[in-house]
Amino acid sequence: AWKEGKLATDPALKVFQTQLETAQPGPTTTTWKQVTAVVDAEIEKVAKGVTSPKDALEQIQSKATAIGTGNKR
């Protein structure tokens, strides 16, 4: 489908082809939704200028570590 028609000729759509070729699924951990909720909240704070990217990353790491993977070792 990517070799003919609009998909092949529209440069704006090329990025989606690349994305499909390189995309990876999220981890299969029971707590992934909790971790992504933390990431989303921190990204929103950065976008609103409430916190710095550095502080957001530190919060994400701290909270993700506290949440864990849900896998018992």
Side-chain angles (χ1 to χ4, degrees):
W2 291 97
K3 295 184 182 191
E4 51 189 67
K6 188 151 178 85
L7 291 176
T9 59
D10 188 337
L13 296 176
K14 179 73 175 162
V15 68
F16 295 110
Q17 179 184 12
T18 302
Q19 200 172 36
L20 286 171
E21 292 170 354
T22 60
Q24 297 289 318
T28 55
T29 62
T30 58
T31 57
W32 183 241
K33 286 185 180 182
Q34 291 172 280
V35 173
T36 58
V38 169
V39 172
D40 291 345
E42 293 300 323
I43 287 173
E44 184 174 346
K45 289 179 188 176
V46 171
K48 290 181 176 180
V50 176
T51 192
S52 71
K54 181 181 182 299
D55 289 342
L57 288 173
E58 288 172 358
Q59 282 297 310
I60 291 168
Q61 184 63 62
S62 174
K63 291 177 181 178
T65 299
I67 291 168
T69 62
N71 296 327
K72 303 281 186 220
R73 290 188 182 174

